[in-house]
Each structure stands twice: as structure tokens, then as C-alpha cells.
Amino acid sequence: MKHFGWLLILSSTCCDEVFSQVKLSEIMFDAAGSEAHDEFVEIYNSSETDSVDLAAWQLSDGPGFDTIVESNQGLILKPRQFGIILDGSYPGNSTTYDARLPQDCLILTIDNLTFGNAGFSNSTPETIALINSDGLVVSEYTYSLDNEMGFSDEKIDLAGSDLPENWANSRLLLGTPGMRNSVSPLNYDLGILSDDLLFSPPNLRAGETATIVGLINNFGLLPAQNFSAILFEDLNDNSLPETPEQIGSFDFPHPLASRDSATFEFRYENLVAGRHSFFIEVRFNEDEDTTNNLAEKKLLVGYPERTLAINEIMYSPLSNRAEWTEVFNPGSEAVDLNGWRISDSDTVAANVISAEILVPPAGYFVFAQDSSLLSIFNPPPGSFLILKPWPSLNNDFDSIVLFDLVGSQIDRVDYSSDWGGDTGISLEKVNPQLSANDSSSWSSCVAALGGTPGGQNSIFSDVLVSETTIAITPNPFSPDGDGRDDFAIISLQLPLTTAVINVKIYDVRGRLIRFLANNESSGSHKIIVWDGKDDNGLAARLGIYVVYLQALNAQAGQIKSGKQTLVLANKL
């Protein structure tokens, strides 16, 4: 059947004003509830004085026609009144809109169970036409398909045209049947959008000043005046702007015309590194819609270089064991690793850390290829993360690169096997503060397990001493088994990061009494204990002895030596 209304409206030079005052105002074509019962069409009488009798009026989707019938309220649509036309099967089968329909809305239905030919299509846009009792199309609209389920198409200006630009997706689930459309302008309505907040300059770093620029829009029909913008920082991470978190305000002294916008600017000095969440709230006493008065914007602030230091690298683990690397926090504030990245020399393939990880001041954190690390080592709880996929490390030379949450390089080590480390032995840094790419800052771990993940490095030194020193306490000592001063504690300090040491005890005649340390590995500090016995396990005689130290660092080609006297005595 051909839609005769098209021919009539094209051939008519004008339309009766009573009929043209009734417009389509909302179409629910993809209902959140039952597709069979919850579709609806809303109409609106834009006249301020004249009612309209809807007897014999129709709706059409092209191939199908439905006559509008009453639902116990008659068919008279009053001035400035909404009419909601429910699916013919809605009564008795659904209550989705019962609590939403206002009392001043005219509730209507149709003379069959479904709209149009077989209900409104969710896959093909359909043109919905409102036809008066003379067969004239007084309003028509082709609905869009970009809505989420349960969100209708709404008319923006109810008295305006049926062109697509005067329609928009409803802002409310289930739409606004029988009431003002959510997209229709109010007399007073100021709003701010998150996309209208900008930070400058880009790539902010800790300690810098950020400029926050925003835009307030007057969506209302009338000018707005005496309004302000309030800036908050969400310090407690509860996603709410709260009075103690207010950090600034901006008052607008001049009226803002309808459909116009005004800018504001805040300056935030001495930014702290990490994630920030800012809220801008528009305050306007006459605002009729406050749902769009709050905007949130995230700001990422980069960390200074060397905030964390790469401190230990296991690039050549034992067979079937994990590669790993350790970072150290030399600062006084905890560092959140969420959003940071780690890579090898292929920095494009950096792996993002997605967990919330806090590295405390003077704390260590270990990233590992897999959990087999734990079969040898025991890092402290909370200081270990398996990183997938792992940036596989080369055994001859490679890089470990650490990026912060904004992609800035924080530390980089371009290591070589010549620096130290070996199969099952990690490469350790002497001190986290030393240069990352100076070979003298690194050497092989001397701990028995071959690594110290999650703890202080075995070769750690605050500052290398300028000379070899030997300190002994107590001196004299008395190894008589009474529980007091039975052992001599020999503390060695070397001007070397690592060394192989020999420690021998001689009597005053130059005879070797005890070989305490024979080619033992050592860092810049070493403690050795003498129990007062000779190499045969016999108690040494009372008297004066000499402790002799020899230390060799083959990599640096250095030999250091020193000696100190020690008295073995009886208690008085």
C-alpha cells in the first residue's frame, strides 16, 4: 500500500496550524525491556492555547499503519502537553514505564499489538510518521541506530523542525516518556565537559607548574550571571569533590549569553609526581540541570631522573631459573610503579606494569621472568612481581631501561658481561647513587646464593675507603669458654668494590698459626671471626699475634694489603 500522506503534503501549500502544532518528540525503538511490549512513541502539543483531538490519527513506519486510540484518558491533547503512545501489548504485559509517567501526561496506545508492520527495527533505520485525521503527515523522523539499548531518540527543540540535527540520543536509560526530554534546553543550564579541560604544558614533570584551562558552556535559553568554577583535587581517591580538597575558585563577573561559552584558568604550582585527579564544579544558583556541572580530568606527572635506580641484574641464571632485575628507591617518598614500563634494549617493546606497587623509601623491588626465582631466593613479601612478557636478556651485553608513567626514561643500564656476573651470579651495583653506565659501579655478587634480590647488595659500599683498614674487637680477647670475649671480630674495609682475600694469623716469630680466609670473595666490607685456635684446632698460646690481609681485584688489576696486631690473653 502506498503512503498517500506523502502526495498530500507535497501538493499542499500550507497546513492547518492546529495540526502542525503536534510533533513527534521521542521514539523508543530499542527498548531495554521486552521488545514486544516496551517500544513507545511520544508526541507534544507545542501550542500555548489550543488543544487537539487525536481521533483517527495514525502512526506509520512505512509499510504498516497504526491508529492511535485512547487508554482511559480520552484523545484530547492539551496545550503544552505530552502524549505517550504505548505499544498495544504493553497493558497487562509490562510495567517498565508505570512509575515514570507523570500525571499530566496523556497516555495513549494503538489499535493493534505492535507498532508498524512488525515492531520497530533495531538493524535498519525506519521513518516514523505522525498522520492527522485528514491523512496529512504532520511530523516525521528517521531514527538513528547509534543508541545503546534502552536509550531513545529525543527531540531537542520541541517546537523545532524534524531534521536530524534537532534530535539526539537520550541521556537517560528508559528515556523520558511523558516529560521534558533530557536533551531539550532549559532556561538556565550551565555545563562543563571533561573534554573541555586542558593541561599545559604537555609532559609535566615533578616540581613544575600546570595551567588548567577550562570552558563553561551556557546550554540554557537565557543569559546566565553570577556563577563560578571551583577546582578540587581528589586527594583521598574517593572520586568525590570535597570541601577540604578545594584548591581554587574563579568567579565570572559578566553575563554569559545563551549558546555562548566562557573560559577560566587555574595555576597549580610545584606538582608532585604521580597520578592526579582534578574536579571542576560549576556553581550557579539558578541552574535547572546540575547533572552536567561537574567534570573530572586525570593528570599524569612525570618523575625526576634516577627516582628509582636499577640496582641488580640476573642476566645469566642457572638452568631452568628465572632472569630478574631489581630496582632501589633512594628517595624519601614512596614511588607508585603503576603505569611504569621496563624494557631491554628494544625500548619499543617495553612492558607496562599494571599493578599498584609502592616502593618505599630505601626499599627494593624485584621484577622476574617467572616464579622459579623463589626456589633459590626469598625476597621480602610485597617486593616481587612476575612481569609478562619478560624482556629476555642477553648474556654478553644488553640494556635494562626503566620508564615512568608518562614514558620518561628514569634509569638505563647498558651492561656487559665484562662488568661482572656469571651463570647463577648476578651483576650488582656498588651503590645505587653511582653512575649507571660506569663499569666501575658494578661487579659480581659475592653472596653465597649468587644474588641478593629484595635486599642490600653483597658488594654495597656507602663510600669506598681510601686505605685498607683492619679493626679488631675485643682486643685483647680471651677464648676461655666463659661466654665473655671468647671471639675476636675482625672487620675489614677495602678500597675495592670486590676482591678475593686471604687472611692469616702469625705469631710474633712470623710462624703461620691460622689461615682464616683462603681465596674468599669479599665486597668492600668483610667480617671474619677468630676463635683463638690454630689450624690443627688447638688453642693458641697467650701472646701477641699479627693479622695479615691480602686482597686482589683481578678485573681492576689491584692488590691491597694490611696488618693489625691482636692480643690473646687470660682474664685477670
Side-chain angles (χ1 to χ4, degrees):
M1 176 179 179
K2 187 172 291 186
H3 191 332
F4 56 84
W6 293 104
L7 296 175
L8 289 174
I9 196 169
L10 287 172
S11 62
S12 176
T13 57
C14 67
C15 181
D16 191 321
E17 288 298 325
V18 173
F19 297 145
S20 63
Q21 74 194 30
V22 180
K23 302 283 188 178
L24 293 169
S25 57
E26 185 175 3
I27 299 173
M28 176 64 79
F29 60 89
D30 188 8
S34 170
E35 286 285 341
H37 310 304
D38 287 352
E39 295 176 340
F40 70 79
V41 174
E42 180 191 78
I43 57 178
Y44 178 69
N45 183 359
S46 61
S47 173
E48 297 183 1
T49 57
D50 298 322
S51 297
V52 176
D53 186 351
L54 299 176
W57 282 50
Q58 290 182 305
L59 286 175
S60 173
D61 66 350
F65 291 83
D66 305 302
T67 299
I68 299 172
V69 297
E70 66 173 303
S71 180
N72 301 322
Q73 293 183 356
L75 289 169
I76 304 299
L77 188 64
K78 299 176 182 178
R80 301 289 186 182
Q81 185 182 25
F82 288 98
I84 178 71
I85 307 170
L86 295 169
D87 205 315
S89 63
Y90 180 88
N93 293 296
S94 178
T95 59
T96 300
Y97 306 114
D98 289 6
R100 297 176 65 85
L101 296 174
Q103 291 183 352
D104 59 355
C105 166
L106 177 63
I107 301 176
L108 305 161
T109 185
I110 54 178
D111 62 346
N112 57 70
L113 296 180
T114 61
F115 285 110
N117 191 39
F120 297 143
S121 173
N122 298 336
S123 58
T124 303
E126 292 187 334
T127 299
I128 308 302
L130 179 64
I131 306 167
N132 68 16
S133 57
D134 291 331
L136 293 173
V137 175
V138 297
S139 182
E140 64 179 354
Y141 170 64
T142 303
Y143 58 76
S144 66
L145 292 179
D146 59 346
N147 312 48
E148 294 184 17
M149 180 182 290
F151 288 82
S152 62
D153 270 13
E154 294 182 340
K155 201 168 194 179
I156 298 172
D157 181 0
L158 296 179
S161 74
D162 289 328
L163 295 175
E165 52 264 31
N166 194 34
W167 288 77
N169 297 342
S170 177
R171 298 172 183 167
L172 301 176
L173 179 65
L174 302 182
T176 55
M179 66 188 80
R180 186 190 70 85
N181 288 348
S182 65
V183 299
S184 295
L186 300 164
N187 286 333
Y188 295 105
D189 181 17
L190 294 183
I192 186 168
L193 306 175
S194 296
D195 289 342
D196 289 333
L197 294 177
L198 301 173
F199 298 104
S200 64
N203 303 320
L204 284 158
R205 303 295 292 269
E208 295 181 344
T209 297
T211 299
I212 306 173
V213 179
L215 191 71
I216 292 180
N217 300 283
N218 185 356
F219 300 117
L221 300 174
L222 299 177
Q225 57 185 1
N226 299 323
F227 58 95
S228 59
I230 313 297
L231 175 65
F232 301 85
E233 183 177 6
D234 188 15
L235 299 175
N236 58 9
D237 294 325
N238 67 349
S239 298
L240 295 172
E242 297 173 323
T243 299
E245 298 173 328
Q246 180 177 329
I247 57 178
S249 63
F250 189 95
D251 296 324
F252 292 82
H254 305 295
L256 182 62
S258 174
R259 306 301 180 185
D260 200 357
S261 59
T263 59
F264 59 87
E265 181 178 300
F266 292 104
R267 286 173 58 83
Y268 192 110
E269 298 180 347
N270 198 26
L271 280 164
V272 176
R275 283 177 163 78
H276 297 261
S277 181
F278 292 102
F279 289 98
I280 303 290
E281 181 183 6
V282 178
R283 292 184 180 175
F284 177 41
N285 290 337
E286 297 178 87
D287 208 322
E288 298 174 74
D289 180 9
T290 58
T291 61
N292 57 0
N293 286 26
L294 188 67
E296 181 182 9
K297 194 80 167 186
K298 304 289 185 182
L299 175 63
L300 303 182
V301 179
Y303 286 78
E305 288 188 36
R306 307 294 301 282
T307 294
L308 294 180
I310 299 169
N311 193 52
E312 188 173 3
I313 306 169
M314 176 64 83
Y315 62 81
S316 180
L318 296 171
S319 178
N320 298 321
R321 294 292 183 265
E323 294 179 347
W324 50 268
T325 188
E326 173 196 81
V327 296
F328 175 73
N329 180 3
S332 58
E333 300 289 338
V335 176
D336 185 357
L337 292 178
N338 190 15
W340 286 51
R341 297 183 296 138
I342 294 178
S343 78
D344 57 6
S345 57
D346 180 11
T347 57
V348 176
N351 292 329
V352 178
I353 302 165
S354 58
E356 292 186 3
I357 297 170
L358 288 180
V359 183
Y364 302 86
F365 199 86
V366 181
F367 301 97
Q369 184 178 18
D370 57 55
S371 60
S372 62
L373 164 81
L374 303 178
S375 64
I376 301 176
F377 306 104
N378 186 28
S383 67
F384 169 73
L385 177 71
I386 297 172
L387 192 62
K388 297 287 187 180
W390 176 256
S392 183
L393 303 176
N394 297 327
N395 292 348
D396 46 2
F397 59 87
D398 208 336
S399 301
I400 292 286
V401 191
L402 184 64
F403 302 91
D404 70 3
L405 73 173
V406 299
S408 297
Q409 182 174 299
I410 300 301
D411 199 17
R412 176 176 182 137
V413 178
D414 301 310
Y415 70 85
S416 167
S417 58
D418 295 339
W419 293 12
D422 204 341
T423 303
I425 298 175
S426 69
L427 178 64
E428 288 188 331
K429 203 172 188 183
V430 175
N431 188 302
Q433 303 287 3
L434 297 178
S435 173
N437 281 306
D438 186 340
S439 61
S440 65
S441 302
W442 298 85
S443 192
S444 299
C445 174
V446 297
L449 294 178
T452 56
Q456 187 179 84
N457 288 349
S458 64
I459 63 171
F460 173 82
S461 176
D462 283 323
V463 178
L464 289 178
V465 295
S466 58
E467 297 180 354
T468 302
T469 61
I470 302 173
I472 303 173
T473 184
N475 191 7
F477 81 114
S478 56
D480 54 9
D482 65 351
R484 295 180 55 194
D485 302 334
D486 286 336
F487 301 93
I489 309 300
I490 303 170
S491 299
L492 311 177
Q493 292 193 10
L494 307 173
L496 303 170
T497 57
T498 59
V500 174
I501 64 170
N502 292 313
V503 178
K504 302 176 182 180
I505 306 292
Y506 293 91
D507 65 16
V508 292
R509 295 184 179 182
R511 293 177 297 186
L512 179 62
I513 300 299
R514 181 75 179 269
F515 207 152
L516 276 180
N518 186 358
N519 290 328
E520 287 190 13
S521 297
S522 173
S524 59
H525 300 280
K526 184 79 169 182
I527 293 177
I528 296 177
V529 178
W530 185 33
D531 58 3
K533 295 180 180 179
D534 61 20
D535 281 336
N536 295 318
L538 301 175
R541 298 187 180 196
L542 303 182
I544 299 174
Y545 293 86
V546 176
V547 178
Y548 178 76
L549 164 68
Q550 184 181 60
L552 169 65
N553 185 315
Q555 179 182 355
Q558 293 179 307
I559 298 177
K560 302 294 181 181
S561 62
K563 60 183 179 179
Q564 184 64 271
T565 57
L566 169 62
V567 177
L568 192 159
N570 274 333
K571 287 194 172 59
L572 297 177

